[in-house]
Structures are given as structure tokens and as C-alpha cells.
Amino acid sequence: AQKITQTQPGMFVQEKEAVTLDCTYDTSDQSYGLFWYKQPSSGEMIFLIYQGSYDEQNATEGRYSLNFQKARKSANLVISASQLGDSAMYFCAMREAVYTNFGNEKLTFGTGTRLTIIP
Amino acid sequence: DTEVTQTPKHLVMGMTNKKSLKCEQHMGHRAMYWYKQKAKKPPELMFVYSYEKLSINESVPSRFSPECPNSSLLNLHLHALQPEDSALYLCASSQQDRGSFGETQYFGPGTRLLVL
């Protein structure tokens, strides 16, 4: 079963509009972390925002906010006032408690959403 | 500074060649990772090193051989690769704070590998 589902393969948004990228997840753990990364065509994965499962407030980082709905297991990324430079692939990812000798390292990615900002 | 560097940026190799990818970070992170990413797909975890010891090997073929000479460096040695191994290889690092779900992995720019 998919642990992270991103249902929007591609989105086109007008510049300066807000955009919501969907992410739903599946876990039986009570403790987990959710991340969003941006990947421009250059290839580098850029960390955007993090939400912990016990965080009561939705995370915000500048123009990025995470709409966390725990009961629905959704962690949507909201980008306000989109810019041309926001055109990229966006990945939602989850860290679960994988117990190894050293801690919890596994990060599971969704299939991504390609966002294109139209001038 | 959250910089992870990778060299080379691009690599073309034949199936009989031996080459190495290099990753470096100076953030004091104690966990380092190799991911493989095919076009239009998410990254797939290959290896994790924690405190310079291999902690996760995701059943990667032996033609990929990781090495962590010290806490700042991570290498991926390549030998007898196949054309289907052509991909973007991403390195990442994180602090390795046991029990912290907010621990962020910081990625390098990747090496684009083409196997002919």
C-alpha cells in the first residue's frame, strides 16, 4: 500500500495566486514527521517545511504553510502568492519510527506533483 | 550553512568502468544517505550511514559499494554498472538526533549518471 499519496501529477497556476498541493499518508504509528521538498529541474531537493504528528499548530515557513489534518491523514502544502521560481517538482515525505541501532532514518516519498507557474 | 556538495555533477561511464561518486558535508551531521532517482520518480533510498557505520542497505546490488571514510565524507563506488543504473544519484545528510522526527535531511545537487 502507498504510504504517501500525491494525487495531482501536474498543476498549472497563474502567477501571484495561491496553490494547494495535496498529500495524504498512511501510518499506524502515533509518532511521525511529515516533510515537503521542492526539486527544480537542476535536481537538488530543497527542504521547505516540516510538521510533527504531535504539533498542534500548522507549520509555516514564509510563503509556505502546511495544512495538517491528522484525523484525515492529510498534510497539504499551501504556497501563497506564487512566483515563477516556484515552478518545480514537489514531494511530500514521511518519517516513521524505524528502529535500528542508531535511530529512525527512513524517509518515504510520494510520487510528486509538478507545479508550473504561468506568467 | 546547510550545504551538501557532490562531485562530479555529470558522469558518463561504460559497463566495464570503475568510478566513484563523492559527497561531502561540513555541518557536523552524523547520518549520511545515498538515494537513486529515475526520471519523473521520487528518490529511492539506497544506503544510510550513521556514525560512519552502515545502518541501512536497501538490498542494493553489489555493483554499488558505499564507503564512509569519515563523518564528513561519503563515497559510492561503481563497478560493472548496467544501462538501467542511469539515474540521478543524490546524497543527503542529517544530524542523527535519535528520536527526533523533525530531523531534516539536507540534499546535495546530485550526480547525473549515464551508463553506456
Side-chain angles (χ1 to χ4, degrees), chain B residues 32-49:
Chain B
M32 296 187 77
Y33 311 74
W34 281 115
Y35 288 86
K36 174 183 177 180
Q37 187 178 23
K38 301 285 278 185
K40 299 184 181 180
K41 298 287 187 184
E44 298 175 3
L45 183 66
M46 300 174 72
F47 302 104
V48 180
Y49 272 83

Side-chain angles (χ1 to χ4, degrees), chain A residues 31-33 35 37 39 41-45 47 50 91 95-97 101-107 109-111, chain B residues 33 35 37 41-43 48 50 53 55-56 58 88 90 96 98-105 107-109 112:
Chain A
S31 301
Y32 51 88
F35 301 79
Y37 283 87
Q39 188 176 38
S41 56
S42 58
E44 183 175 0
M45 297 281 285
F47 165 69
Y50 162 79
F91 289 99
R95 175 184 230 110
E96 297 173 280
N101 289 334
F102 299 96
N104 34 302
E105 301 96 344
K106 291 178 76 83
L107 198 62
F109 287 88
T111 51
Chain B
Y33 311 74
Y35 288 86
Q37 187 178 23
K41 298 287 187 184
V48 180
S50 292
K53 295 184 191 298
S55 68
I56 294 178
E58 292 287 272
L88 177 67
L90 291 162
Q96 189 62 87
R98 206 180 301 193
S100 168
F101 287 92
E103 181 174 308
T104 300
Q105 291 184 22
F107 285 79
R112 292 192 186 275

Side-chain angles (χ1 to χ4, degrees), chain A residues 62-80:
Chain A
R63 294 187 300 114
Y64 304 107
S65 60
L66 200 152
N67 184 359
F68 181 47
Q69 299 189 38
K70 192 171 180 177
R72 299 176 66 178
K73 293 189 176 177
S74 95
N76 298 340
L77 177 70
V78 180
I79 306 174
S80 63

